[in-house]
Amino acid sequence: MNGEESSLRPQSLLLTFLGDQVLGRDVCVYSGSVIDVFERAGIGEQATRSTLTRMVKRGLLRRQREGRRMYFGLTEHSTAVLRDGEHRIWQAGAVNRDWDGTWTLLGFSLPESWQRQRHDLRSKLTWSGFGPLFSGLWIAPGEVDVSDLVSELGLSAHVKVFRAHADAGMDIGAMIEETWELAELASRYAEFVRRWQPWETASPEAEEALVLRLRLQAEWLQIIRRDPRLPVKHLPDDWPAEQAEKTFRAVHARLTPLARDAATRLLDLVPVRPDQT
């Protein structure tokens, strides 16, 4: 690739790989095929095997033995994670032009000794598009359902959620700049364009295209999952998300035929057997 490669965890790459090759097909993939593809991506066999084992323990993968070979497939948990990512990439997109003026406000008050719970809540709120309006009051654009998030953390009694609209005199643009790290997010989008735009016209070999598309999708998902999808009309005029999304789609379309050809030749897939875990 041109320029520096972004930092991607093996688990992120593996989930992306499975979402691309396994999701919706009721198949499992041979561990040796995964190792082969990941070695082409610069990830060693031991790291790949460790990631597979760790993801099984976390309930993100299922194992299925066929003779002397071990195959891996998706669980309900990983399928839900990948469907969410699929929606973020292809339906929601990176640019929010449909905002209706609604905000979701979440207030919480936790005992001082609950440092871990406070950290977990803030992390999940950030992942769900919230930013800290004040220390115990967080805000997100649109109507965000946080019931599962709050219930999972066992904090239902300590959290209050409201839907709200800003007063006419409210400077929403200034509020956004104070609440979210716009400069960091813009830098991520700009770097994505710089790194991937040359591939809009490049012609890689099929095996390279398979690895490139894997990294392309993983990097793009990593960025947009950190993007709260703020209303575009309240963002700077030169906001780079739209250009980054155009680059993503153009490169993805160019790499896909070659990547599919390589996957057909390199991957050993078998149907899912319901009796396996």
Side-chain angles (χ1 to χ4, degrees):
M1 287 181 57
N2 292 358
E4 307 83 3
E5 297 215 358
S6 67
S7 175
L8 290 169
R9 295 184 304 149
Q11 179 172 305
S12 297
L13 282 173
L14 188 51
L15 276 173
T16 302
F17 173 79
L18 293 169
D20 198 31
Q21 304 298 334
V22 173
L23 183 65
R25 299 177 64 186
D26 289 326
V27 296
C28 296
V29 60
Y30 172 45
S31 60
S33 297
V34 180
I35 290 168
D36 181 16
V37 172
F38 275 50
E39 283 183 337
R40 297 170 189 270
I43 298 173
E45 178 177 347
Q46 186 57 47
T48 301
R49 289 190 183 279
S50 296
T51 302
L52 287 168
T53 300
R54 187 164 55 251
M55 291 176 69
V56 169
K57 291 179 178 178
R58 294 184 60 195
L60 291 168
L61 291 182
R62 66 193 303 278
R63 286 184 289 204
Q64 178 171 311
R65 184 175 292 280
E66 300 284 342
R68 300 180 63 182
R69 292 189 165 192
M70 186 65 74
Y71 293 74
F72 292 84
L74 300 174
T75 63
E76 289 186 8
H77 183 189
S78 55
T79 296
V81 170
L82 291 171
R83 288 297 185 196
D84 176 69
E86 188 177 56
H87 174 79
R88 289 296 301 268
I89 290 175
W90 301 111
Q91 277 78 52
V95 181
N96 185 356
R97 295 188 177 87
D98 302 322
W99 181 64
D100 64 358
T102 302
W103 297 92
T104 298
L105 289 172
L106 183 146
F108 64 89
S109 178
L110 305 181
E112 286 297 322
S113 60
W114 288 18
Q115 295 183 7
R116 180 184 59 79
Q117 291 90 334
R118 185 177 289 105
H119 170 77
D120 290 347
L121 176 59
R122 288 171 174 168
S123 296
K124 287 185 177 292
L125 287 176
T126 299
W127 192 251
S128 299
F130 283 82
L133 192 60
F134 299 106
S135 59
L137 182 64
W138 288 54
I139 187 170
E143 295 190 12
V144 183
D145 184 358
V146 295
S147 55
D148 288 344
L149 179 158
V150 173
S151 177
E152 178 186 341
L153 294 174
L155 298 177
S156 299
H158 301 271
V159 171
K160 303 292 186 257
V161 182
F162 303 88
R163 311 296 182 200
H165 287 78
D167 282 350
M170 175 71 182
D171 188 340
I172 295 177
M175 182 274 289
I176 286 175
E177 290 188 3
E178 293 169 0
T179 305
W180 285 276
E181 296 289 342
L182 291 187
E184 179 181 347
L185 184 56
S187 177
R188 290 179 182 275
Y189 278 126
E191 173 60 19
F192 182 89
V193 172
R194 186 193 70 79
R195 186 164 53 250
W196 286 102
Q197 203 167 47
W199 291 100
E200 291 186 28
T201 55
S203 300
E205 297 293 329
E207 288 78 5
E208 184 184 12
L210 178 62
V211 172
L212 284 169
R213 194 174 73 151
L214 173 61
R215 286 196 170 275
L216 172 76
Q217 293 181 161
E219 289 182 23
W220 182 242
L221 190 56
Q222 188 178 66
I223 294 174
I224 62 175
R225 274 188 163 161
R226 296 180 181 179
D227 186 344
R229 298 192 76 246
L230 297 162
V232 68
K233 68 179 183 179
H234 292 296
L235 291 171
D237 292 337
D238 58 349
W239 188 244
E242 184 171 15
Q243 178 57 56
E245 186 166 45
K246 288 179 179 177
T247 296
F248 166 75
R249 290 179 179 268
V251 176
H252 188 275
R254 188 167 186 83
L255 295 176
T256 290
L258 291 168
R260 285 178 176 167
D261 177 63
T264 299
R265 289 185 285 104
L266 295 175
L267 303 185
D268 177 6
L269 304 171
V270 297
V272 169
R273 290 209 316 266
D275 59 316
Q276 300 291 298
T277 58

